[in-house]
Amino acid sequence: MNYESIKLARDGACVARLTLARPEIQNAMSMKLVQELRHALAVIAADDKLRVVVLTGEGKSFCAGGDLNWMQSVLKQTRSERIAESKVLAELFYEFDTLPKVVVGRINGAATGGGFGMTCICDVSVASSAARFALTEARLGLLPANIGPYVARRIGLARARRYGLTAQFIDAGQAERIGLVDRVAAPADLDRAIEEELALIMAIPAGSIASTKKLFNDVVGRPPRECMDYTAAALADAWETEDAAEGISAFLARRPATWQTAAPEPQQPQSSKEST
């Protein structure tokens, strides 16, 4: 597929770089962008060598939410058309959330509306100190519907209500304090901070990444006693993998583990629109 609204590049054997590429309108989301992202996520999910995808925006913004032209077209739709299109967007967020890879958010600038939601579905988020965040939907007479579950889970119900009901902007420091992002770096240091996070992830085998992410999604919000049978079986499954045998052996021998998928040092990303 030839992408027009995003860029997908490979960075070594284990890292994909996924970039929202509509800088002229602050990487605002259109249906084309949503569809292209879903296609890219399917490509990434199917690649067993990939462990992590770095999500960012081209230019000065991360993502400014919905494209105004797209919003205007929605006004002309029937109710059934609106629901169908909304579900496509909801599927995108779900696919990000359940992707069996680590999603690292490189939040390079403003993240508003859907961009706020994109930040929330990242497993690790590193923000530029110049980034600003807001749930702006209510200001337009709308609501943060499809991103709502991820926003409330990420920052908690009380804070989701505060920011969703006031549409106020917050800076990167406040975003870090409330847990919206995990780390803040000066713009000049943003890529170095991302590389430091990637180095940590590269020490983890792909199988453990996928199973750990699934585990947390499956148990969140459930009483611990209800999870006991599931977690016991999941751990038993993990013990039976080659990764567990190698990991335990390496730990006992005090040597670095050698996983089934090699983890080379990160390289400079390719610049083509689609290279994975």
Side-chain angles (χ1 to χ4, degrees):
M1 182 175 181
N2 292 320
Y3 301 130
E4 298 178 7
S5 301
I6 67 172
K7 293 178 180 177
L8 176 60
R10 191 153 199 147
D11 183 355
C14 303
V15 180
R17 304 270 180 170
L18 185 56
T19 304
L20 309 182
R22 307 182 78 202
E24 68 282 0
I25 54 170
Q26 300 185 69
N27 302 313
M29 301 173 72
S30 65
M31 182 50 62
K32 177 182 283 293
L33 183 142
V34 169
Q35 292 168 337
E36 289 184 357
L37 281 176
R38 293 189 67 192
H39 182 276
L41 289 180
V43 171
I44 293 167
D47 192 326
D48 292 337
K49 292 183 179 180
L50 290 174
R51 300 186 199 177
V52 57
V53 54
V54 179
L55 175 67
T56 193
E58 191 172 277
K60 296 182 179 180
S61 296
F62 175 64
C63 177
D67 182 337
L68 290 178
N69 289 328
W70 183 21
M71 291 184 180
Q72 288 176 340
S73 71
V74 173
L75 288 173
K76 302 174 184 178
Q77 292 176 343
T78 64
R79 177 179 176 81
S80 61
E81 289 172 335
R82 289 172 184 159
I83 290 174
E85 210 163 80
S86 182
K87 286 183 177 179
V88 174
L89 183 58
E91 288 289 348
L92 171 66
F93 285 104
Y94 180 79
E95 287 160 6
F96 261 116
D97 189 55
T98 57
L99 187 71
K101 320 289 180 183
V102 183
V103 179
V104 175
R106 179 185 176 276
I107 316 302
N108 55 302
T112 58
F116 192 112
M118 295 278 271
T119 304
C120 290
I121 52 83
C122 293
D123 301 303
V124 178
S125 291
V126 183
S128 163
S129 57
R132 299 174 74 222
F133 304 83
L135 286 170
T136 53
E137 290 85 352
R139 192 177 294 163
L140 301 175
L142 301 172
L143 73 167
N146 293 312
I147 63 176
Y150 309 105
V151 172
R153 189 181 66 190
R154 178 84 186 195
I155 63 175
L157 177 58
R159 288 188 174 119
R161 284 178 170 173
R162 176 183 179 183
Y163 297 114
L165 295 172
T166 63
Q168 66 178 292
F169 278 85
I170 60 173
D171 62 19
Q174 179 67 7
E176 184 180 26
R177 287 190 289 274
I178 67 172
L180 175 59
V181 301
D182 302 296
R183 181 175 177 181
V184 174
D189 297 328
L190 184 59
D191 287 331
R192 179 181 59 80
I194 292 293
E195 293 305 314
E196 290 173 356
E197 297 298 328
L198 293 180
L200 296 173
I201 296 165
M202 289 300 102
I204 309 297
S208 289
I209 287 171
S211 59
T212 299
K213 188 167 179 177
K214 183 178 186 302
L215 175 80
F216 285 133
N217 275 343
D218 288 346
V219 302
V220 66
R222 296 175 58 190
R225 183 164 292 279
E226 289 185 8
C227 299
M228 288 181 179
D229 289 343
Y230 167 74
T231 55
L235 184 57
D237 290 342
W239 275 105
E240 296 168 7
T241 64
E242 293 181 18
D243 283 337
E246 169 60 15
I248 298 299
S249 176
F251 178 78
L252 294 176
R254 298 184 179 181
R255 61 170 175 81
T258 302
W259 307 118
Q260 294 179 14
T261 302
E265 294 183 359
Q267 304 171 8
Q268 290 299 315
Q270 301 171 33
S271 59
S272 61
K273 281 276 188 175
E274 181 182 11
S275 56
T276 294

